[in-house]
Amino acid sequence: DVDEFDLSPDGRWIACVTNEDGVGVLHVINAATGAERRIPRLPAGLISDVRWRKSGAELGFTRTSARAPADAYSLELASGTVTRWTESETAGLNTGDFAEAELVHWPSFDGRAISGFLYKPPARFAGRRPVIINIHGGPEGQSRPGFLGRNNYYVNELGTAIIFPNIRGSTGYGKTFTKLDNGVLRDGAYKDIGALLEWIRTRPDLDADHVLVTGGSYGGHMTLVTATQYDGPICCSVDVVGISNLATFLQHTSGYRQDLRRVEYGDERDSTLRAWMERTAPLNNVDKVTKPLFIVQGMNDPRVPRTEAEQMVAALKRRGVPVWYLMAKDEGHGFRKKGNQDFQFYATILFTERYLLGQGGSATP
């Protein structure tokens, strides 16, 4: 996909940014011939806000990477010199030590290559490392190699690797790929995570016996599906404002969203689609769950109603599965207030230490 472009004031050059497997790649193209001008290749990251100077001799842009939030850069066309003009505030952290994103691929059930970004902990953490799989929401979305912020704590301090997969249904790979999870085709997206779990086992640097899966919104739905369909390969899950049953979600989400979401998930009023939703719903498969879950929800969520979380928590408790439940009375679809964000972050660290890293403690917080 092409993210953005800008034509030089003299009309000679086109600068464009392409989304290549999630990485933002800058190109400069001769407007008359279509030939691409050779420019320095930047490390994996995101590029935006591409603008030419009036002279057409220099190009400005914003670059974000795993080691830096958004900063201003320029490219001098004649010399190919790239200059960084700003150093974003990082509260004194040495971001040069942060892990760079590694683009990885694995084959899924149908032979299709699925990609994602792997962040590995520093070398001082020896041996196979525990893994966090963090699935993006949407599903029309994409994980890209930007700045991880506080997620760097899991990598740098806890020694866990993080994988951000872009399963079928993600954007950035063309319309066909985005539609590969519509309706009952969603089974394919579920299997993409199963294939990732198998791929992790082939890596000598990753510990396939210590895997936590997490995600928010649709990523939370994928988390709950993984907890039910792949209970064996994982050891715990963190679901944030996730959907526990597509049918009940479509019935109770805000009216302005219902028809839009039915295009993506299918119409729950259709008996055939309803049967598939009920058959695959995590809520109706809790008997397959044996590993601890942490479920996070906002009371005032207009998108994924709190009933999706509450019904899942109740079903898990009836089966005696260890489940933590954090519900904020003053939040909606995801936590926005800093105090709540901090509480969620620290609680998730505690859950991760206890159930992923096996650092002990009681079954309830």
Side-chain angles (χ1 to χ4, degrees):
D1 286 358
V2 175
D3 287 338
E4 60 179 271
F5 69 92
D6 194 41
L7 179 66
S8 63
D10 58 10
R12 294 180 57 201
W13 302 101
I14 301 171
C16 68
V17 179
T18 55
N19 180 338
E20 300 181 15
D21 252 344
V23 178
V25 180
L26 178 64
H27 303 271
V28 176
I29 299 169
N30 187 302
T33 66
E36 184 167 353
R37 187 183 183 101
R38 181 173 295 181
I39 60 174
R41 187 161 182 97
L42 300 170
L46 306 179
I47 296 174
S48 60
D49 307 316
V50 175
R51 295 291 183 272
W52 289 96
R53 291 192 75 165
K54 291 182 180 179
S55 64
E58 193 174 15
L59 179 69
F61 56 93
T62 300
R63 180 174 178 270
T64 306
S65 73
R67 291 182 174 174
D71 279 305
Y73 287 76
S74 68
L75 167 67
E76 188 178 88
L77 206 58
S79 66
T81 301
V82 175
T83 303
R84 179 177 178 175
W85 292 97
T86 63
E87 296 279 348
S88 291
E89 171 60 43
T90 56
L93 291 174
N94 179 15
T95 60
D97 293 336
F98 287 176
E100 290 277 22
E102 176 187 346
L103 178 63
V104 295
H105 297 84
W106 61 93
S108 194
F109 69 99
D110 56 356
R112 186 180 296 272
I114 305 298
S115 68
F117 291 97
L118 167 64
Y119 296 80
K120 294 189 291 186
R124 71 176 185 274
F125 293 100
R128 290 176 177 257
R129 302 314 308 159
V131 180
I132 296 175
I133 299 175
N134 192 322
I135 308 170
H136 68 71
E140 307 95 329
Q142 185 184 32
S143 289
R144 306 188 67 181
F147 192 64
L148 290 184
R150 64 171 70 189
N151 277 332
N152 281 294
Y153 183 87
Y154 295 100
V155 179
N156 284 358
E157 303 302 325
L158 297 186
T160 66
I162 304 181
I163 300 174
F164 294 88
N166 285 312
I167 57 178
R168 66 192 66 207
S170 301
T171 53
Y173 306 91
K175 293 180 180 178
T176 299
F177 191 82
T178 301
K179 295 178 180 178
L180 279 179
D181 68 341
N182 286 7
V184 297
L185 294 177
R186 196 158 311 279
D187 271 329
Y190 300 160
K191 292 176 182 177
D192 288 342
I193 296 299
L196 173 57
L197 292 168
E198 293 176 3
W199 176 84
I200 290 172
R201 195 163 292 279
T202 69
R203 293 275 302 209
D205 52 348
L206 304 179
D207 185 353
D209 295 322
H210 290 84
V211 177
L212 179 155
V213 62
T214 186
S217 193
Y218 175 71
H221 171 69
M222 289 296 304
T223 296
L224 293 176
V225 168
T226 304
T228 55
Q229 294 193 9
Y230 302 101
D231 176 76
I234 68 171
C235 59
C236 53
S237 308
V238 180
D239 155 42
V240 181
V241 298
I243 303 164
S244 60
N245 185 324
L246 290 172
T248 58
F249 157 73
L250 290 167
Q251 285 178 292
H252 299 127
T253 190
S254 297
Y256 75 94
R257 304 184 71 246
Q258 283 177 315
D259 287 339
L260 175 64
R261 292 295 81 195
R262 283 169 178 150
V263 173
E264 172 66 40
Y265 298 122
D267 194 330
E268 83 286 0
R269 297 166 298 184
D270 178 276
S271 60
T272 302
L273 283 169
R274 179 71 180 233
W276 176 85
M277 291 178 182
E278 296 290 357
R279 177 174 58 81
T280 58
L283 179 64
N284 298 331
N285 288 278
V286 289
D287 59 317
K288 300 174 183 176
V289 180
T290 64
K291 309 298 174 56
L293 277 93
F294 183 15
I295 295 179
V296 180
Q297 181 65 43
M299 176 179 280
N300 308 309
D301 193 334
R303 298 187 182 187
V304 179
R306 69 176 186 269
T307 50
E308 290 297 307
E310 291 170 345
Q311 63 190 10
M312 192 70 185
V313 170
L316 290 165
K317 285 184 175 180
R318 284 195 296 269
R319 285 196 45 79
V321 176
V323 56
W324 296 13
Y325 184 39
L326 172 61
M327 196 270 287
K329 295 181 179 180
D330 55 350
E331 294 286 4
H333 194 62
F335 291 6
R336 297 293 180 266
K337 298 180 179 179
K338 188 176 185 304
N340 294 336
Q341 290 178 338
D342 289 346
F343 190 94
Q344 177 187 347
F345 179 63
Y346 299 136
T348 305
I349 290 173
L350 180 62
F351 182 87
T352 302
E353 289 176 333
R354 189 166 299 175
Y355 294 115
L356 178 64
L357 305 181
Q359 295 182 5
S362 61
T364 56

